[in-house]
Amino acid sequence: MSRSETRNSKPSILFIGTQMAKAGAQHVLFTLATYFYRQGYEVTVAFIYDRDDLAEEWQSQYPFPVIDLRGFGPPFGLLRVPGAMLRLWEILSGRRPDVVHTLT
């Protein structure tokens, strides 16, 4: 029995985007995430980094978790990528989503 069968009858979905920015790909990601959330799916959205400092705004705007993996940006740039991958692993192993959908 999958984890989603113990929670409800619909799979859980993790949507992953590259950067938090007000742009087309992010709009598509949130449109999909909102649609599936309203259909009863367990939804989580994660971004590799928050380019435009939108994490708090988006978390307050959407009823599902919106996570900044903090993968790039000041003060350490690319040196932050291993930590972001560790946070992603923690999400994958903790939430154990049935579906992972990436949008770049």
Side-chain angles (χ1 to χ4, degrees):
M1 179 180 328
S2 76
R3 280 195 54 157
S4 67
E5 290 174 327
T6 62
R7 288 188 301 254
N8 61 43
S9 62
K10 303 217 179 190
S12 61
I13 306 171
L14 171 63
F15 290 91
I16 302 175
T18 52
Q19 62 186 345
M20 290 182 170
K22 291 185 178 180
Q26 294 78 3
H27 177 74
V28 170
L29 187 148
F30 278 114
T31 299
L32 287 169
T34 300
Y35 171 80
F36 282 105
Y37 178 82
R38 288 180 179 160
Q39 299 303 312
Y41 291 80
E42 182 179 326
V43 170
T44 302
V45 173
F47 289 93
I48 303 301
Y49 70 106
D50 187 356
R51 187 187 86 180
D52 293 343
D53 199 26
L54 294 166
E56 287 184 31
E57 176 185 338
W58 283 355
Q59 184 56 79
S60 68
Q61 186 176 349
Y62 295 99
F64 42 80
V66 179
I67 300 167
D68 173 16
L69 297 173
R70 301 183 308 273
F72 295 104
F76 300 108
L78 288 174
L79 295 175
R80 296 175 71 175
V81 171
M85 294 303 101
L86 177 61
R87 284 185 284 283
L88 179 58
W89 174 254
E90 290 169 349
I91 291 168
L92 291 169
S93 61
R95 296 176 190 262
R96 295 181 57 199
D98 297 299
V99 176
V100 177
H101 183 276
T102 61
L103 219 65
T104 57

